[in-house]
Amino acid sequence: MNKLFKSKVITNEEIRESIYLISLEIPINIESKPGQFCILRVNQRFDPLLGRPFSIFDHEKDEIKFLYRLKGKGTNVLSKLKKGDSITFAGPFGRWYPFPKEDFIVVAGGIGLASVYYLIKRFPHRAYLFYGVRSEREILFYEELKKLSKQVYISTEKETNYTYKGVVTELFKEKGMALPLPIYACGPMIMLKELKKIVDESRLCYVATEERMACGVGACLGCVIRTKDGFKRVCTDGPVFDLRELVL
Amino acid sequence: MNKLFKSKVITNEEIRESIYLISLEIPINIESKPGQFCILRVNQRFDPLLGRPFSIFDHEKDEIKFLYRLKGKGTNVLSKLKKGDSITFAGPFGRWYPFPKEDFIVVAGGIGLASVYYLIKRFPHRAYLFYGVRSEREILFYEELKKLSKQVYISTEKETNYTYKGVVTELFKEKGMALPLPIYACGPMIMLKELKKIVDESRLCYVATEERMACGVGACLGCVIRTKDGFKRVCTDGPVFDLRELVL
Amino acid sequence: MMPSLEVKIGSLSFKNPVLTASGTFGYGLEYSQFVDLNLLGGIVIKGLSLKSKQGNPPPRIYETPCGMINSIGLQNIGFEAFKKEKLPFLKRFNTNIIVNFFGENLDEYIEIATLLDETEGVHALEMNVSCPNKDTKWRRMGLEPELLREAVRKVRLQIKKPLIVKLSPQVTDIAFMAKICEEEGADAVSLINTIPAMVIDIKTRKSMLGTTTGGLSGPAIRPIALRAVWEVVQSVKIPVIGVGGIFNAEDALQFFIVGAKAIQVGTANFINPTVTVEIIEGIKQFLIDERIEDINEIIGSFKE
Amino acid sequence: MMPSLEVKIGSLSFKNPVLTASGTFGYGLEYSQFVDLNLLGGIVIKGLSLKSKQGNPPPRIYETPCGMINSIGLQNIGFEAFKKEKLPFLKRFNTNIIVNFFGENLDEYIEIATLLDETEGVHALEMNVSCPNKDTKWRRMGLEPELLREAVRKVRLQIKKPLIVKLSPQVTDIAFMAKICEEEGADAVSLINTIPAMVIDIKTRKSMLGTTTGGLSGPAIRPIALRAVWEVVQSVKIPVIGVGGIFNAEDALQFFIVGAKAIQVGTANFINPTVTVEIIEGIKQFLIDERIEDINEIIGSFKE
Ligand SMILES: Cc1cc2nc3c(=O)[nH]c(=O)nc-3n(C[C@H](O)[C@H](O)[C@H](O)COP(=O)(O)OP(=O)(O)OC[C@H]3O[C@@H](n4cnc5c(N)ncnc54)[C@H](O)[C@@H]3O)c2cc1C
Ligand SMILES: Cc1cc2nc3c(=O)[nH]c(=O)nc-3n(C[C@H](O)[C@H](O)[C@H](O)COP(=O)(O)OP(=O)(O)OC[C@H]3O[C@@H](n4cnc5c(N)ncnc54)[C@H](O)[C@@H]3O)c2cc1C
Ligand SMILES: Cc1cc2nc3c(=O)[nH]c(=O)nc-3n(C[C@H](O)[C@H](O)[C@H](O)COP(=O)(O)O)c2cc1C
Ligand SMILES: Cc1cc2nc3c(=O)[nH]c(=O)nc-3n(C[C@H](O)[C@H](O)[C@H](O)COP(=O)(O)O)c2cc1C
Ligand code: FES
Ligand code: FES
């Protein structure tokens, strides 16, 4: 099965300050699953050298989308690409979120939304979404998320008329913990650590992790993180892990 | 005097197959002379690392133009720049063509035209232009050149209804050598070598040379060529030299 | 007529001189989804030790200008697991399997070399004499001539299969180190391994890696590797395998021209998983364009 | 309140720790059209010898991934011309003038060092012990500990001004070389010089330079230089000056954090002629943001 694509940029827009949505042509029909990622080669030269991993934000037939935040040189070069520019990328890679067999809970922190949007969108079962951002301005795809989810709870640093004050894990603890449903989460390390604290060992909780990557296919052993049974590769043993496995 | 510019691309067009004309904003009023060059930093990353030297093709007030041929990675990256993209460049650098005090002869080979167009255009005295290209398709700015010059002779590999067959030095020898006027030349090394053979030591002949450059300001000693009195720097002792000085 | 890409190293012949570099191609399997392994001249396996190794704490990699540094720390599954879980798959392919190996001390080197020598399906051994991330007397085996001499001699005595010694660039005179390997009976030397390097985070004042230093690889080091190969080629008669920043056919050809008998592609696999086959094709095309019938004709054709 | 950038090397104090690297800033004049030389911590002059030198045949430079190789061959105008034609201009500026020097043999080293020591307007001497493009016994002075020891000792005996020894990276143990310099009375060491490297043209089968090999510089080598500085800092007490691929304030700060007392900016000047002042500004800003009042507080603040 083909996993390497010479593609073209369909659109690449700054949808919020320093948040971009890039959409790429995907010539042949491939299968992708929520939680998987692709590695984008942001230019054809050697600086930046390595590809950059991004979660599949959305994928329909011949179009695949990635939602990214400007961070350093790679995302900076990526953000300069314009419609029609060529770009190569590889994937989809990695372990996906186990398919929900019932309604489910999603906890997303900031750009972590990029990893769970596709999950929320794709299944008949519906999500109780707990979504944390710093300020109202940073809320992405609010309308779509409301449509797709059973319920959307949003936390921001300051309370607003439709968001709660505080961090998303607090909000989830308050409004979601009681729901007897599986949990899917993606967000910054502090959020995962917090989840680890508050989520009972007996519950199913799947989290998407991040680590620097070179190969993306399990060959370089560069992307390992600590787990109960030693180092595991985010790119192939993850990025989605059972929270209980992880040593954070 | 300021010699370093953070500029923007006004236009960057492929005017012939793999020949581009790029026009850049030049914020402040600077002086430039025919035969001088600028060093363009083709991107903001480190690959390619070095700036690329290009002759000033034309310069009017707040706009400066460079005519370049696709060669390797630098010109390739440069050719991808679009209107509005930012680019930094430094210059003008180097020894210019001594101002003609009477009508003059110009011998240009291929992209060497880039260095002499500004010379032909800028002075009241007019040029007898001998311009060599491989095929008719490669003739650039024919109309403008005809207007600007006293006479235009063009050589191509195959004879056509308005070009001569052969190399430009041949053509010059035949039609131009007799004219008792100073000679200005820019073109590939073989052309300069040929000129060296046929032009009498007693005649004034100024030629623009090329060598790889790093600093462009005489500091690195990287761009030297052989002359009668040892190595000289193309960037500061040249690029225009008296043909008699050069050891080709 | 198709030019011949076949080269010989010791008793072993390679259908083409393009191998993968140890640690950058996993156990082969990982890249079989991109590359038909049958097309490769050979696969050099990730550094293998007697017992499995955990490797260094993360983060283990960081990008640098036109390169990357890594501190994997030679994590590997150990000899037994390799033999049971990886080798059977590799045997299905028609290519040379070269196992890169190391130990914590010389005895371990000898022990695993002996085992690999007896293991069917392993065509040659590559001895990694630079374990940048471990610290023992024998860690310096790649740096001190007399330690290298003793190590190569003792390993050589134990094995029949072709022995390639992989040299560290971090020495004053790499040609002399290669000479020692030749004198002690190595069939070939491969170079260069990564160059010790460091990047730190100015905010935290800590290394960007879980360890203080790592090994630099990628296009950044290619001109250094090429010079090292050139120095070595002039001092030894045994085949030299060039490694370091090879990203395309032109890069590879530079190594052949200075005298490398084969090359290994490392970091480039990460950036372009099909790069090895593209390099093989590119070399073929170059030979055709230059009307050269046998790759061996360009090996060592450098004009000083 | 403005943080202090002042550092001391031997008896010499620098208004800031940002110097230019030898051979990349000419004789200062060339860059005075871009940079107010008064703003620089110091200017290190292109390698100077007793008599003027022609240098190597062109081409002398070639671009490599995130770097460049050069084979200038230490072309310079010679001591007398420097003193007459260049120094008077340099004296007009309020910055430290450090002259990088070399010779064909030890006697020449001693001779020019003595002259420079007597020359008013020269604040310190940087001894270049690696002349990659010459070949004599003394060419190896940067590579062989005992030659280095003898050379530094004899030069030291002749001069009163601060002596900085510029080390070659092409050694097995650069910390040991630095230690030797310290033992023989050097006031500081600077590192790294360029790394021997090579690029060839696959069409002509010749070097891309007029010589077979050249010296690699630029961002490509920065992680190697940083590691070398780190190793040296741990083994000597004299100040260490970091050089190699420094292109911005963040790069420079990495060197200070591992323990460099000052840094030199080389190849970066070619790509951005105002880079030195931008680095000085960037360092200031970083200190302000981090509420650090004196650059010396971050020097050696690396957390292992
Ligand atoms: C499986 C996975 C999925 C991801 N999905 C997304 C996504 O959908 N949207 C998004 O905005 N970001 C995502 N990230 C993070 C994204 O890869 C980094 O933000 C990006 O690589 C930063 O590159 P840079 O050059 O701009 O930053 P720099 O800081 O300049 O990058 C320097 C090096 O560090 C690596 N790096 C930096 N931050 C990270 C990080 N958080 N994770 C992994 N490597 C990093 C870079 O790849 C590069 O090799 C994901 C990361 C992983 C591992
Ligand atoms: C004073 C001067 C004026 C020039 N004017 C023009 C002009 O007006 N139009 C034009 O098309 N070209 C001109 N050139 C040549 C132009 O600089 C090169 O074509 C360009 O640098 C090639 O870069 P590249 O990365 O595309 O090619 P590559 O071959 O990839 O470049 C590799 C390295 O070699 C250098 N290099 C390659 N060819 C040349 C060359 N002929 N001269 C100098 N350095 C070279 C590059 O700068 C780079 O450092 C001029 C050169 C000089 C020295
Ligand atoms: C992630 C990684 C892991 C490596 N592991 C090994 C190893 O286990 N044994 C070894 O001898 N070399 C190892 N190397 C070095 C490579 O085989 C190669 O010598 C080096 O990377 C230079 O080649 P390159 O620039 O093409 O990558 C490793 C390199 C990388 C980048
Ligand atoms: C063109 C050029 C000329 C150089 N000349 C000298 C020299 O004369 N003496 C010396 O000690 N180092 C010389 N160097 C080495 C630099 O001073 C510096 O050590 C090296 O380039 C690494 O720093 P960088 O990566 O910032 O350039 C030269 C470097 C370059 C690129
Ligand atoms: S990125 Fe190479 S193993 Fe995960
Ligand atoms: S390019 Fe540096 S001296 Fe001419």
Side-chain angles (χ1 to χ4, degrees):
Chain A
M1 172 187 169
N2 189 344
K3 282 184 167 293
L4 185 63
F5 305 99
K6 301 199 182 316
S7 166
K8 289 211 175 310
V9 175
I10 299 171
T11 59
N12 187 24
E13 291 163 11
E14 186 167 22
I15 62 172
R16 279 288 193 296
E17 197 199 347
S18 72
I19 302 282
Y20 287 72
L21 183 67
I22 189 168
S23 163
L24 306 179
E25 289 175 5
I26 181 147
I28 64 156
N29 212 316
I30 63 155
E31 234 213 294
S32 72
K33 304 196 179 66
Q36 290 190 300
F37 66 96
C38 294
I39 291 196
L40 277 58
R41 181 141 179 232
V42 299
N43 68 2
Q44 293 310 304
R45 303 239 39 84
F46 297 145
D47 179 35
L49 182 70
L50 301 171
R52 302 305 198 236
F54 297 101
S55 309
I56 295 170
F57 175 74
D58 198 358
H59 174 203
E60 278 172 358
K61 298 191 257 15
D62 51 5
E63 180 172 2
I64 189 162
K65 295 179 180 167
F66 304 93
L67 180 72
Y68 63 96
R69 194 180 65 230
L70 280 190
K71 175 142 195 303
K73 46 182 154 42
T75 46
N76 198 291
V77 172
L78 188 62
S79 70
K80 300 251 184 313
L81 291 182
K82 302 186 178 69
K83 181 181 185 354
D85 287 345
S86 43
I87 177 172
T88 57
F89 70 95
F93 295 131
R95 293 261 175 88
W96 50 88
Y97 293 109
F99 295 169
K101 291 175 200 54
E102 58 191 315
D103 285 351
F104 54 101
I105 296 164
V106 172
V107 182
I111 194 69
L113 182 74
S115 156
V116 293
Y117 181 88
Y118 191 29
L119 173 75
I120 294 169
K121 178 181 170 186
R122 191 158 145 185
F123 298 101
H125 304 295
R126 299 178 65 210
Y128 292 84
L129 171 63
F130 297 85
Y131 178 23
V133 290
R134 261 189 260 92
S135 70
E136 237 180 285
R137 277 185 294 87
E138 294 181 12
I139 301 169
L140 303 170
F141 303 99
Y142 185 64
E143 291 313 320
E144 294 86 332
L145 289 169
K146 273 195 93 63
K147 267 199 229 70
L148 293 167
S149 314
K150 194 139 184 173
Q151 201 128 30
V152 177
Y153 303 88
I154 300 180
S155 72
T156 48
E157 282 170 0
K158 290 192 217 55
E159 182 168 350
T160 74
N161 45 19
Y162 63 105
T163 71
Y164 299 81
K165 181 178 191 315
V167 297
V168 67
T169 43
E170 284 301 320
L171 177 59
F172 160 69
K173 203 164 144 192
E174 201 179 303
K175 309 265 178 211
M177 191 65 88
L179 301 165
L181 302 171
I183 305 162
Y184 296 79
C186 184
M189 183 51 75
I190 46 156
M191 183 188 110
L192 300 188
K193 283 194 169 134
E194 194 49 36
L195 272 180
K196 182 108 183 154
K197 286 210 210 90
I198 64 178
V199 175
D200 188 289
E201 277 282 315
S202 68
R203 291 190 69 163
L204 275 183
C205 181
Y206 304 107
V207 300
T209 57
E210 294 185 1
E211 189 43 82
R212 286 186 212 129
M213 293 186 175
C215 71
V217 299
C220 74
L221 306 180
C223 66
V224 299
I225 54 170
R226 287 198 174 74
T227 76
K228 287 226 169 63
D229 15 283
F231 295 133
K232 288 199 174 179
R233 300 162 302 182
V234 168
C235 68
T236 34
D237 304 317
V240 175
F241 288 94
D242 182 325
L243 182 59
R244 290 167 293 200
E245 279 184 65
L246 299 179
V247 180
L248 300 174
Chain B
M1 169 189 169
N2 188 346
K3 283 185 168 290
L4 185 63
F5 305 99
K6 300 199 183 315
S7 165
K8 288 211 177 309
V9 174
I10 299 171
T11 59
N12 186 24
E13 291 164 12
E14 186 167 22
I15 62 172
R16 279 287 193 293
E17 197 199 345
S18 72
I19 301 282
Y20 288 73
L21 183 66
I22 189 168
S23 164
L24 306 179
E25 290 176 3
I26 181 151
I28 65 159
N29 215 315
I30 63 156
E31 233 214 296
S32 72
K33 304 195 180 65
Q36 290 190 300
F37 66 96
C38 293
I39 292 196
L40 276 59
R41 178 139 181 233
V42 299
N43 69 2
Q44 292 311 305
R45 303 242 38 86
F46 297 146
D47 179 33
L49 181 70
L50 300 172
R52 302 305 198 236
F54 297 101
S55 310
I56 296 171
F57 175 75
D58 197 359
H59 174 203
E60 278 170 355
K61 299 193 270 353
D62 52 3
E63 181 171 3
I64 189 162
K65 294 178 182 171
F66 305 93
L67 179 72
Y68 63 96
R69 194 180 66 229
L70 281 189
K71 176 144 194 303
K73 45 180 155 37
T75 47
N76 199 292
V77 171
L78 188 61
S79 71
K80 301 253 186 309
L81 291 183
K82 302 185 180 70
K83 179 180 185 356
D85 287 344
S86 42
I87 177 172
T88 58
F89 69 94
F93 295 132
R95 293 261 175 87
W96 49 88
Y97 292 109
F99 296 171
K101 292 172 199 54
E102 59 190 317
D103 285 352
F104 55 101
I105 295 165
V106 171
V107 182
I111 194 70
L113 182 74
S115 155
V116 293
Y117 180 88
Y118 192 28
L119 173 75
I120 294 170
K121 178 182 170 187
R122 188 159 148 182
F123 298 101
H125 305 294
R126 300 178 64 209
Y128 293 84
L129 171 64
F130 297 84
Y131 179 23
V133 291
R134 264 190 257 93
S135 70
E136 238 181 281
R137 278 185 293 88
E138 296 182 12
I139 302 170
L140 302 171
F141 303 99
Y142 185 63
E143 291 314 321
E144 294 87 334
L145 289 168
K146 271 196 98 61
K147 268 199 228 69
L148 294 167
S149 314
K150 192 143 187 169
Q151 198 126 33
V152 177
Y153 302 89
I154 300 179
S155 72
T156 47
E157 281 169 359
K158 287 188 219 55
E159 181 168 353
T160 73
N161 45 20
Y162 63 106
T163 70
Y164 299 82
K165 182 179 192 312
V167 298
V168 66
T169 43
E170 284 301 321
L171 177 59
F172 160 68
K173 204 164 145 192
E174 201 178 301
K175 309 268 180 216
M177 190 66 89
L179 300 165
L181 303 171
I183 304 162
Y184 296 78
C186 183
M189 184 50 75
I190 46 155
M191 184 188 109
L192 301 187
K193 283 193 166 130
E194 194 50 35
L195 272 180
K196 184 110 182 150
K197 286 211 207 86
I198 64 178
V199 175
D200 188 292
E201 277 281 317
S202 67
R203 291 191 68 162
L204 273 184
C205 181
Y206 305 107
V207 300
T209 57
E210 294 186 359
E211 188 44 83
R212 287 186 212 130
M213 295 186 174
C215 71
V217 298
C220 74
L221 307 180
C223 65
V224 302
I225 55 171
R226 288 197 173 74
T227 75
K228 284 221 171 65
D229 16 289
F231 294 133
K232 288 200 173 176
R233 299 162 302 183
V234 168
C235 69
T236 34
D237 304 316
V240 174
F241 288 93
D242 182 325
L243 182 59
R244 290 168 292 199
E245 279 185 66
L246 299 179
V247 180
L248 299 175
Chain C
M1 166 261 195
M2 261 299 153
S4 156
L5 294 191
E6 189 177 334
V7 297
K8 272 186 166 305
I9 290 177
S11 53
L12 203 57
S13 82
F14 295 74
K15 66 172 68 128
N16 67 61
V18 179
L19 324 184
T20 61
S22 178
T24 66
F25 210 70
Y27 296 102
L29 174 66
E30 296 84 347
Y31 279 96
S32 55
Q33 59 188 319
F34 297 104
V35 176
D36 173 359
L37 303 184
N38 293 299
L39 298 174
L40 302 177
I43 296 170
V44 182
I45 301 302
K46 168 71 183 168
L48 193 68
S49 51
L50 222 44
K51 305 255 160 300
S52 70
K53 294 229 174 309
Q54 268 279 312
N56 288 327
R60 290 178 168 184
I61 53 177
Y62 195 69
E63 184 181 70
T64 67
C66 292
M68 65 179 278
I69 57 175
N70 86 83
S71 61
I72 308 303
L74 299 173
Q75 173 180 347
N76 77 94
I77 60 175
F79 175 77
E80 283 310 326
F82 170 72
K83 189 174 172 182
K84 271 202 216 59
E85 299 157 25
K86 306 297 182 182
L87 203 51
F89 169 81
L90 290 167
K91 281 183 184 163
R92 303 216 305 264
F93 299 94
N94 167 21
T95 187
N96 289 325
I97 304 303
I98 300 170
V99 178
N100 180 277
F101 70 96
F102 71 97
E104 289 304 311
N105 52 53
L106 185 50
D107 295 339
E108 277 186 29
Y109 267 91
I110 292 167
E111 210 172 330
I112 185 166
T114 312
L115 289 168
L116 289 167
D117 197 48
E118 295 159 353
T119 305
E120 189 248 330
V122 173
H123 301 91
L125 281 62
E126 183 177 63
M127 180 173 172
N128 177 6
V129 297
S130 45
C131 314
N133 312 322
K134 300 251 145 281
D135 212 341
T136 67
K137 162 190 175 189
W138 289 105
R139 177 224 174 185
R140 301 190 53 77
M141 132 192 337
L143 309 179
E144 292 176 14
E146 287 323 305
L147 287 180
L148 181 65
R149 185 180 296 283
E150 179 182 352
V152 175
R153 172 182 298 147
K154 292 195 169 150
V155 168
R156 168 79 286 177
L157 284 173
Q158 299 303 315
I159 65 170
K160 283 164 246 42
K161 287 177 182 169
L163 174 65
I164 302 161
V165 181
K166 177 129 178 223
L167 299 175
S168 164
Q170 199 46 38
V171 295
T172 307
D173 187 353
I174 197 166
F176 179 58
M177 300 302 267
K179 189 86 191 135
I180 287 171
C181 298
E182 179 176 49
E183 286 165 4
E184 297 307 330
D187 298 283
V189 287
S190 54
L191 57 145
I192 59 175
N193 209 318
T194 56
I195 303 176
M198 192 168 169
V199 178
I200 67 176
D201 179 335
I202 62 171
K203 291 254 171 260
T204 64
R205 315 274 172 91
K206 293 198 184 131
S207 169
M208 281 287 190
L209 303 176
T211 53
T212 302
T213 64
L216 183 65
S217 65
I221 69 169
R222 196 198 67 228
I224 299 172
L226 187 67
R227 185 264 311 160
V229 167
W230 165 241
E231 286 179 357
V232 167
V233 159
Q234 289 165 288
S235 83
V236 300
K237 285 172 205 58
I238 53 174
V240 177
I241 301 170
V243 198
I246 297 172
F247 269 58
N248 55 46
E250 182 178 349
D251 296 344
L253 285 159
Q254 290 191 55
F255 283 82
F256 294 128
I257 290 167
V258 298
K261 207 67 185 294
I263 58 104
Q264 294 177 3
V265 180
T267 301
N269 293 295
F270 306 154
I271 283 76
N272 172 10
T274 58
V275 67
T276 43
V277 286
E278 289 168 24
I279 288 173
I280 294 165
E281 285 316 305
I283 294 170
K284 259 195 215 125
Q285 197 51 57
F286 177 83
L287 294 178
I288 292 167
D289 298 346
E290 301 268 304
R291 294 202 174 53
I292 297 169
E293 285 171 7
D294 186 333
I295 181 109
N296 291 284
E297 291 173 33
I298 68 163
I299 292 172
S301 61
F302 177 60
K303 304 200 190 86
E304 226 185 328
Chain D
M1 166 259 194
M2 261 297 156
S4 156
L5 293 192
E6 187 176 337
V7 296
K8 272 184 166 304
I9 289 178
S11 53
L12 202 58
S13 81
F14 295 74
K15 66 171 66 128
N16 67 60
V18 178
L19 325 184
T20 61
S22 178
T24 65
F25 209 69
Y27 296 102
L29 174 66
E30 296 85 347
Y31 278 96
S32 56
Q33 59 188 317
F34 297 104
V35 176
D36 173 359
L37 303 184
N38 294 300
L39 298 175
L40 302 178
I43 296 170
V44 183
I45 301 302
K46 169 70 183 168
L48 194 68
S49 51
L50 223 45
K51 305 257 158 304
S52 70
K53 293 230 175 307
Q54 267 281 310
N56 288 327
R60 288 177 169 185
I61 53 177
Y62 195 70
E63 184 181 72
T64 67
C66 293
M68 64 178 279
I69 56 176
N70 85 83
S71 61
I72 308 303
L74 298 175
Q75 174 180 345
N76 77 94
I77 60 177
F79 174 77
E80 282 309 327
F82 169 71
K83 188 174 172 178
K84 271 203 216 55
E85 299 157 25
K86 305 297 182 181
L87 203 50
F89 170 81
L90 290 168
K91 282 183 185 161
R92 304 216 307 263
F93 298 94
N94 167 22
T95 186
N96 289 325
I97 303 303
I98 300 170
V99 178
N100 179 277
F101 69 96
F102 70 98
E104 289 303 312
N105 52 53
L106 185 50
D107 295 339
E108 279 187 28
Y109 267 92
I110 293 167
E111 211 171 329
I112 182 160
T114 312
L115 288 169
L116 289 167
D117 196 47
E118 295 157 353
T119 305
E120 189 248 329
V122 174
H123 302 89
L125 281 62
E126 183 178 65
M127 179 173 174
N128 177 6
V129 298
S130 46
C131 316
N133 312 323
K134 301 250 146 278
D135 212 340
T136 66
K137 163 190 175 188
W138 289 107
R139 175 226 172 178
R140 299 192 55 78
M141 105 179 19
L143 308 179
E144 292 176 14
E146 288 323 305
L147 288 180
L148 181 65
R149 185 179 296 282
E150 180 182 351
V152 175
R153 172 182 298 147
K154 292 193 168 151
V155 169
R156 169 78 286 178
L157 285 174
Q158 300 303 316
I159 67 170
K160 283 165 247 39
K161 286 177 181 167
L163 174 64
I164 302 161
V165 181
K166 176 127 176 225
L167 299 175
S168 163
Q170 199 47 40
V171 294
T172 306
D173 188 352
I174 196 166
F176 179 58
M177 302 301 268
K179 188 90 192 124
I180 288 172
C181 298
E182 179 176 49
E183 287 164 3
E184 299 305 331
D187 297 283
V189 288
S190 54
L191 57 142
I192 60 177
N193 210 315
T194 56
I195 304 176
M198 191 171 171
V199 178
I200 68 175
D201 180 334
I202 62 171
K203 292 252 171 263
T204 64
R205 314 276 172 92
K206 292 197 183 130
S207 169
M208 281 288 190
L209 303 176
T211 53
T212 301
T213 63
L216 183 65
S217 65
I221 69 168
R222 196 198 69 226
I224 300 172
L226 187 68
R227 184 263 314 159
V229 166
W230 165 240
E231 287 179 358
V232 168
V233 160
Q234 289 165 288
S235 83
V236 299
K237 285 171 203 56
I238 53 174
V240 177
I241 301 170
V243 198
I246 297 172
F247 268 59
N248 54 46
E250 183 178 349
D251 296 344
L253 285 159
Q254 290 191 55
F255 284 81
F256 295 128
I257 290 167
V258 299
K261 207 76 187 291
I263 58 105
Q264 294 177 3
V265 180
T267 300
N269 292 297
F270 305 155
I271 284 75
N272 172 10
T274 58
V275 68
T276 41
V277 286
E278 289 169 24
I279 289 174
I280 294 166
E281 284 315 305
I283 293 170
K284 257 193 217 127
Q285 196 50 58
F286 176 84
L287 295 178
I288 291 167
D289 297 346
E290 301 267 306
R291 295 199 175 55
I292 298 170
E293 285 172 8
D294 185 333
I295 180 111
N296 291 285
E297 292 172 34
I298 69 163
I299 292 172
S301 62
F302 178 60
K303 303 203 191 84
E304 222 183 327

